[in-house]
Amino acid sequence: MLNYPQPVISGKLLWQETPIEIATDENIAPFGVLVDDHQEYSEKPDSGGSVFNFWWKGNSIFSEDESENDSALLGWSVAPEEAEEAEPTRDQALLWHACQYPDTGQLYFPLRGEDYIIVLAEPHQDIRPKHFRAFHITGGKGIYIHPGIWHEGIIPLNERASFYKQGDTDNRVNMNFAEDMGAFLAIPLEKVRGL
């Protein structure tokens, strides 16, 4: 059972660096579609949407579904056991978890035009951290993620970012990198922060 609000995870694991790519229509195509206007996008899921907030607090990254008043800890910028004591940094993000929705797509759209990072991986029989790619989405664009694509929530480049999210949240498959594979996804944010 995953403990989203406060997973107990050691930082003494492999850090699988996942370089960041600038998202384009071409390199996003295996995973989804960049979206200019979420209200006009025709392939969006049928389910209702809600506002999701993503923010940094100290060295931790959190998310919250406003409609459910439900929050989760997505990751850290330092090893988890150092997060409380270390000076806040935004040089990287260490992600411990990903999920997929086999039967439905997911739409994320920034409400204030924020740039952001998202990690994605195609379905794979033996999914591993090395299969993930990190994308820097710019220009106020959103993303529609195809059914079955592995992903984690948004990594904000500012202190906080708010998104319209649409997609059924049932029938989710979870993956705990740290527990199942002894690794974090390590996303090097210092190269894109402030761009």
Side-chain angles (χ1 to χ4, degrees):
M1 182 77 176
L2 294 175
N3 182 354
Y4 290 104
Q6 192 64 47
V8 179
I9 294 172
S10 169
K12 297 176 181 177
L13 302 170
L14 172 70
W15 292 14
Q16 175 70 51
E17 182 163 323
T18 307
I20 296 172
E21 310 169 47
I22 298 293
T24 65
D25 291 333
E26 292 73 24
N27 63 16
I28 285 290
F31 312 99
V33 179
L34 295 177
V35 175
D36 292 318
D37 184 338
H38 71 283
Q39 294 177 324
E40 299 295 328
Y41 184 63
S42 60
E43 293 185 37
K44 62 186 175 184
D46 293 333
S47 59
S50 62
V51 173
F52 269 65
N53 299 305
F54 301 90
W55 71 95
W56 290 90
K57 182 179 180 182
N59 288 306
S60 300
I61 312 165
F62 294 92
S63 71
E64 175 193 42
D65 179 351
E66 285 190 3
S67 67
E68 300 288 336
N69 195 23
D70 183 28
S71 64
L73 174 59
L74 300 183
W76 305 267
S77 54
V78 297
E81 60 267 28
E82 300 171 8
E84 291 293 323
E85 301 299 327
E87 284 293 316
T89 177
R90 305 289 186 268
D91 288 346
Q92 65 186 348
L94 301 176
L95 304 181
W96 66 277
H97 167 267
C99 65
Q100 68 169 186
Y101 297 87
D103 303 320
T104 184
Q106 302 288 311
L107 175 69
Y108 289 90
F109 196 86
L111 294 178
R112 292 186 291 274
E114 300 96 325
D115 291 357
Y116 56 98
I117 306 294
I118 192 165
V119 296
L120 305 165
E122 295 181 72
H124 198 281
Q125 284 189 335
D126 185 27
I127 190 73
R128 296 287 171 190
K130 67 182 181 181
H131 296 127
F132 280 80
R133 294 166 65 184
F135 294 95
H136 181 193
I137 299 181
T138 64
K141 291 180 183 269
I143 183 170
Y144 169 74
I145 302 169
H146 295 314
I149 295 297
W150 289 98
H151 63 284
E152 179 52 294
I154 301 302
I155 303 171
L157 293 175
N158 298 321
E159 288 296 307
R160 188 177 184 90
S162 296
F163 284 71
Y164 174 79
K165 182 178 183 291
Q166 191 169 352
D168 191 355
T169 57
D170 296 329
N171 196 24
R172 178 171 67 185
V173 179
N174 294 297
M175 179 194 331
N176 184 333
F177 303 125
E179 187 174 289
D180 299 339
M181 304 174 192
F184 290 113
L185 289 189
I187 316 301
L189 301 178
E190 75 278 6
K191 297 177 182 176
V192 296
R193 290 189 62 79
L195 296 180

